[in-house]
């Protein structure tokens, strides 16, 4: 079985936490390291959360703190969805290891440079660190297999009517990634809104009865409450692990190779991903966009990882 080496760039975040667990506990993925980026909360908070999730799920990989602001210097937090800590709903253990003494972008560079195989970069937060990596280490780009990101949408947004949160947070970084020429896979709201944490999923977590599954239930209940309040979605969408699942088994989604651009101006549409599904504009195709999810297959992967982590 070939194992895919990845670096996960994330802003934990409830669904980022689950992406970390899926990446660490699926045997087809080798998680080389984690870099953090400000998004769901301030950079210090999401970095602490990454370390605490590692402690909770007994994961030991290098973790480094990345960018605290977008390429243009902006930052905001998604407290309405993820709470004050950016990961409200359960008491998580204290970190069991120290942060790397380098920035997130430096860690990405180090891991890509030192890998004997091409590395896949998976981004589940704003694309700031990934864009900085591409700009600062052009000589390493040949050792990148592809970039998979959770972000954007072929239809409507969630941070603004047309912009999805991760893309809204750093449209300029998204533009750098979309123009990179690297193979890109976009897992936007079209597909992640099919990864719903249903009553049946809660039932599976309860049946596990592990310390880990109990904490995850707490986190998911918080996430379900805020999603219901803000989006009238009582079953919240577990966006970020979809970007890991497509690597584990490409058949978990149905996708289309199309042109994707990011709106950088737009009075009302800044941060929207413009996805040309029917090639109406004839622009160069640059991204494989996941559109439909095999939800049972996705949940089987995700719950297997939680089960394995709970027994570690
Ligand atoms: C994305 O925004 C964040 O709140 C989630 O962690 C996910 O990465 C969904 O729009
Ligand atoms: Ca995220």
């Amino acid at each position: 079985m070939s194992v895919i080496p990845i670096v996960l760039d994330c802003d934990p975040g409830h669904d980022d936490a689950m992406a970390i667990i899926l990446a660490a506990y699926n045997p087809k993925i080798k998680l080389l390291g984690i870099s953090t980026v400000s998004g769901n909360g301030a950079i210090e908070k999401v970095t602490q959360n990454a370390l605490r999730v590692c402690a909770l799920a007994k994961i030991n990989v290098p973790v480094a703190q990345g960018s605290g602001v977008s390429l243009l210097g902006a930052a905001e937090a998604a407290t309405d969805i993820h709470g004050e800590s950016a990961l409200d709903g359960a008491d998580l253990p204290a970190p069991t290891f120290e942060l790397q003494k380098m920035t997130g972008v430096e860690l990405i560079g180090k891991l890509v440079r030192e890998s004997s195989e091409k590395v896949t970069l998976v981004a589940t937060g704003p694309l700031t660190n990934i864009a900085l990596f591409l700009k600062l280490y052009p000589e390493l780009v040949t050792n990148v297999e592809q970039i998979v990101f959770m972000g954007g949408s072929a239809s409507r947004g969630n941070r603004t009517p047309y912009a999805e949160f991760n893309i809204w947070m750093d449209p300029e970084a998204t533009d750098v990634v979309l123009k990179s020429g690297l193979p890109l896979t976009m897992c936007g709201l079209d597909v992640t809104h099919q990864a719903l944490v249903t009553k049946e999923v809660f039932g599976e977590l309860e049946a596990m009865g592990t310390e880990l599954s109990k904490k995850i239930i707490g986190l998911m209940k918080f996430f379900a409450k805020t999603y219901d309040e803000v989006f009238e979605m009582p079953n919240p969408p577990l966006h970020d692990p979809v970007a890991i699942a497509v690597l584990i088994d490409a058949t978990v989604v149905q996708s289309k190779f199309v042109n994707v651009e990011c709106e950088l101006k737009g009075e009302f549409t800044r941060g929207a991903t413009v996805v040309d599904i029917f090639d109406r504009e004839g622009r160069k195709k640059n991204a494989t966009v996941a559109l439909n999810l095999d939800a049972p297959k996705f949940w089987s992967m995700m719950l297997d990882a939680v089960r394995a982590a709970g027994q570690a």
Side-chain angles (χ1 to χ4, degrees), residues 150-163:
M150 187 284 132
S153 157
S155 49
R156 302 293 293 260
N158 60 1
R159 174 55 187 80
T160 75
Y162 278 89

Side-chain angles (χ1 to χ4, degrees), residues 20-21 41 49 65 96 107 110 142 157 184 291:
I20 293 173
I21 293 171
N49 291 345
Q65 179 165 299
T96 49
L107 179 64
K110 178 176 187 285
T142 50
L184 305 174
L291 294 166

Side-chain angles (χ1 to χ4, degrees), residues 15 192-197 223 227 231 233 235-240:
D15 48 340
T192 67
H193 275 188
Q194 298 170 48
L196 300 175
V197 188
F223 198 46
Y227 250 90
F231 294 113
M233 289 177 83
N235 297 338
L238 201 67
H239 308 277
D240 293 337

Side-chain angles (χ1 to χ4, degrees), residues 47-48 51 60-64 95-101:
T47 305
Q48 272 302 305
L51 292 172
N60 198 342
V61 296
V63 177
T96 49
F97 58 82
E98 303 259 308
L99 266 183
Q100 295 289 303
K101 291 187 174 40

Side-chain angles (χ1 to χ4, degrees), residues 11 13-16 40 78 81-82 124-125 150 158 164-166 189 192 223 227 239-240:
D11 61 336
H14 294 74
D15 48 340
D16 301 83
N40 289 327
I81 300 295
H82 297 275
T124 62
M150 187 284 132
N158 60 1
E164 181 279 330
F165 179 78
N166 289 339
L189 299 179
T192 67
F223 198 46
Y227 250 90
H239 308 277
D240 293 337

